[in-house]
Amino acid sequence: MLKKVIFFLFVNQFIFSQQLDFDFYIGKRKETKTFSFKYIQQGILNLDSNTNISATIEAFKLSYKTKNNFNSYLTLFSTRTFFSGKKNDKLNTLSSILNPFGGSLNLNIHSLIPIKIKEDLNLSLGVKIGKKLIEAQAIYFPIDNKAFFENYINIGSLIQKKIIDDPLNNTSLFFWGYTNLFLTKSLKKNREIFFDNELNSLSKGYGLEIGVQYNKSFKIMLIGNKILDTMKNSKLRKIIFQLSISYKLLK
């Protein structure tokens, strides 16, 4: 396991991931380009429709932003599930896969390409790159397998809307919506061990995320993701909803 973790941290070729992570900024920037690095940035509490409760820490984020509102982020998340209400290992594992912040380690690159910029509204094309280490319970021999890598391809459209921005009273409220299409992939043997082949090695799906951010530190997100090409009568076909509450630990 240690060798897998070391390899993961130094991997230099990323696969797309479905994780929405951006800073709100309405209108054009004055700076030509900026880099920033932050660590232990935010904590996130997650509850999904499979009754899984998990906690996430954003370990670090390297940001690159330009005057024309092109944004790119390299981020490392770590998520632990501490309660699973359903005794269905396949559904619980799928919850970790479809959780945008899921995985014991979740290293990703996320870029936002501006389409339309107004004083109180931004429209962008989102592209995500990442790789997750998923810890799960095997249901098929060898049952001592406890983890696997999952890769993603994701592209979508993002809208950011300023509702309130009052610097004098230090008050702000922003809304965002994000719709996307994604591919998710792992080795065929992992699909056999953890899903009994109910999930294809390469599967496609779609997702929707809406949320609000208050005072640049508190976020509430409602996320829905659905796999499209599972077996006809599989429970994995249903959409998984997730409520996430995020608080910025360091500013």
Side-chain angles (χ1 to χ4, degrees):
M1 178 61 68
L2 180 59
K3 290 182 179 179
K4 288 184 178 180
V5 171
I6 293 174
F7 170 79
F8 178 83
L9 291 175
F10 287 93
V11 66
N12 57 16
Q13 182 175 0
F14 305 103
I15 312 300
F16 288 95
S17 109
Q18 61 166 109
Q19 173 256 317
L20 183 61
D21 173 46
F22 55 85
D23 294 326
F24 284 91
Y25 193 95
I26 303 299
K28 291 187 177 181
R29 293 184 172 88
K30 295 181 180 180
E31 303 89 348
T32 302
K33 60 181 66 174
T34 59
F35 284 95
S36 67
F37 178 81
K38 297 180 180 179
Y39 59 93
I40 314 298
Q41 183 68 5
Q42 61 178 319
I44 307 169
L45 183 65
N46 312 293
L47 170 65
D48 69 30
S49 53
N50 287 328
T51 329
N52 291 297
I53 302 175
S54 62
T56 302
I57 190 74
E58 183 184 275
F60 71 77
K61 179 164 68 176
L62 175 64
S63 304
Y64 173 73
K65 305 172 185 180
T66 70
K67 180 179 179 180
N68 294 324
N69 277 36
F70 172 81
N71 300 327
S72 190
Y73 309 95
L74 173 64
T75 311
L76 176 64
F77 286 94
S78 180
T79 296
R80 290 288 180 181
T81 299
F82 52 87
F83 178 80
S84 295
K86 291 191 176 182
K87 305 303 180 182
N88 187 317
D89 292 326
K90 297 177 189 177
L91 285 177
N92 292 335
T93 302
L94 185 63
S95 289
S96 295
I97 290 175
L98 295 185
N99 179 352
F101 318 106
S104 300
L105 293 173
N106 183 348
L107 184 65
N108 58 76
I109 292 177
H110 171 212
S111 296
L112 292 174
I113 304 168
I115 298 174
K116 189 174 184 179
I117 302 172
K118 291 186 175 181
E119 184 178 352
D120 61 351
L121 179 71
N122 284 352
L123 298 177
S124 304
L125 176 68
V127 179
K128 290 98 183 175
I129 301 175
K131 193 179 187 79
K132 297 180 181 180
L133 176 64
I134 302 291
E135 292 187 357
Q137 178 61 53
I139 62 172
Y140 194 73
F141 183 83
I143 59 174
D144 59 340
N145 282 29
K146 298 296 183 182
F148 61 94
F149 284 105
E150 188 77 20
N151 303 319
Y152 301 83
I153 297 176
N154 177 288
I155 186 169
S157 61
L158 169 70
I159 178 172
Q160 296 170 273
K161 172 68 176 177
K162 178 172 66 177
I163 301 174
I164 300 172
D165 191 10
D166 185 358
L168 293 178
N169 294 313
N170 196 28
T171 301
S172 64
L173 183 66
F174 294 88
F175 165 84
W176 81 87
Y178 183 69
T179 56
N180 65 91
L181 300 174
F182 65 84
L183 297 175
T184 179
K185 187 180 188 305
S186 188
L187 296 178
K188 187 175 181 180
K189 68 176 184 179
N190 293 330
R191 295 300 192 236
E192 181 178 3
I193 293 171
F194 294 95
F195 291 99
D196 196 18
N197 288 323
E198 285 190 35
L199 191 65
N200 293 337
S201 177
L202 177 64
S203 297
K204 60 181 178 293
Y206 63 86
L208 170 67
E209 177 170 339
I210 58 174
V212 292
Q213 176 175 287
Y214 177 70
N215 279 1
K216 299 182 180 180
S217 59
F218 182 75
K219 295 179 185 177
I220 299 179
M221 297 158 271
L222 179 61
I223 304 162
N225 287 299
K226 178 179 173 61
I227 296 287
L228 293 175
D229 50 0
T230 58
M231 296 176 63
K232 188 172 183 180
N233 297 321
S234 174
K235 293 182 179 180
L236 304 181
R237 291 181 65 89
K238 67 178 183 178
I239 189 169
I240 295 180
F241 291 100
Q242 177 177 314
L243 177 66
S244 294
I245 300 174
S246 167
Y247 184 76
K248 184 174 288 189
L249 303 174
L250 297 177
K251 299 182 180 180

